[in-house]
Amino acid sequence: QPFTSPPTHIIMASSSSSPSICGAFAEEMDATITAIIAPGRGILAADESTGTIGKRFESINLPNTEDNGRAYRTLLFTTPGGIGDYISGAILFEETLFQTALDGRPMVEHMRANGIIPGIKVDKGVVTLPGTQGESYTAGLDGLGKRCAEYYAAGARFAKWRAVYTITDSLPSSLCMTANAEGLAHYAATCQENGLVPIVEPEILMDGRHSIQRSAEVTEAVLSSVFAAL
């Protein structure tokens, strides 16, 4: 029978586990974590790329322009009635982090006014990993430190990086698991050095006809490799 894998495993790295890396940001980062995981609240994924949000606009015959994207996100982050009571943080696309709302105020100011902590997607998407059967590796480490510093200055306080794994009888390969675990660890350390709480996201795809036992084996192997690298 086809099996649906468990949801993505998300790890939020605490500054207390690596105080030498976090330095002066440690106290602020722990406060960010406490706020994000507050009971009854959750993280909103609002990091649609220009192409992805264009598909959504197309379904309602709306042109994919910067102004329409600004209007959409202004509507979202200025929602009255206590939106921050339910959303603790929102992951943004880079454009949104630096964008102003329709009233000319920075989008992050509206988020903070509603008690929502701004976050940022920092990876550059997945690319094919050479030497594998079409497996992927997440790009974006080049220049990451500089970008993280800029994101922090713009108001972001946490970040997200996604690695993708495919399950078959022989996949994921050890090369794929090692490369992505090391990439996730490098990303996490770089974020912490620049004041951003890193959300580490090893996503094991649900596609396939594998058994629940195979899913458990892969999940254990992937998470073990990630925690060892962290």
Side-chain angles (χ1 to χ4, degrees), residues 69-82:
R70 176 185 289 108
Y72 165 70
R73 292 189 170 97
T74 298
L75 176 68
L76 179 64
F77 293 124
T78 60
T79 300

Side-chain angles (χ1 to χ4, degrees), residues 161-180:
W161 180 287
R162 171 176 170 262
V164 180
Y165 304 79
T166 300
I167 301 180
T168 70
D169 290 341
S170 58
L171 301 180
S173 65
S174 58
L175 175 58
C176 173
M177 287 192 289
T178 299
N180 279 299

Side-chain angles (χ1 to χ4, degrees), residues 110-141:
H110 285 290
M111 295 174 67
R112 289 199 197 97
N114 277 314
I116 301 172
I117 299 173
I120 180 72
K121 173 185 179 293
V122 300
D123 70 70
K124 296 298 184 180
V126 298
V127 296
T128 301
L129 181 62
T132 67
Q133 300 176 45
E135 293 178 286
S136 67
Y137 172 77
T138 306
L141 291 176

Side-chain angles (χ1 to χ4, degrees), residues 9 11 13 126 129 135-139 141 144 161-165 172-190 192 198-204 218-230:
H9 295 271
I11 305 157
V126 298
L129 181 62
E135 293 178 286
S136 67
Y137 172 77
T138 306
L141 291 176
L144 180 59
W161 180 287
R162 171 176 170 262
V164 180
Y165 304 79
S173 65
S174 58
L175 175 58
C176 173
M177 287 192 289
T178 299
N180 279 299
E182 291 179 352
L184 287 164
H186 188 163
Y187 141 78
T190 302
Q192 289 175 314
I199 293 181
V200 177
E201 185 182 355
E203 181 176 1
I204 304 168
V218 169
T219 299
E220 180 178 357
V222 167
L223 293 183
S224 294
S225 67
V226 171
F227 276 110
L230 290 172

Side-chain angles (χ1 to χ4, degrees), residues 70-95:
R70 176 185 289 108
Y72 165 70
R73 292 189 170 97
T74 298
L75 176 68
L76 179 64
F77 293 124
T78 60
T79 300
I83 185 175
D85 293 340
Y86 309 99
I87 299 174
S88 57
I91 304 168
L92 306 177
F93 190 56
E94 186 177 89
E95 177 185 75

Side-chain angles (χ1 to χ4, degrees), residues 9-84:
H9 295 271
I10 296 178
I11 305 157
M12 200 172 299
S14 170
S15 66
S16 59
S17 64
S18 51
S20 62
I21 296 177
C22 302
F25 297 112
E27 186 174 339
E28 181 185 37
M29 289 174 63
D30 281 339
T32 296
I33 293 172
T34 300
I36 288 176
I37 64 174
R41 303 173 79 201
I43 298 173
L44 172 68
D47 57 336
E48 305 98 335
S49 66
T50 303
T52 298
I53 202 167
K55 294 177 182 177
R56 297 182 180 180
F57 287 165
E58 184 180 0
S59 68
I60 56 172
N61 298 316
L62 189 68
N64 185 16
T65 65
E66 183 179 354
D67 286 341
N68 283 334
R70 176 185 289 108
Y72 165 70
R73 292 189 170 97
T74 298
L75 176 68
L76 179 64
F77 293 124
T78 60
T79 300
I83 185 175

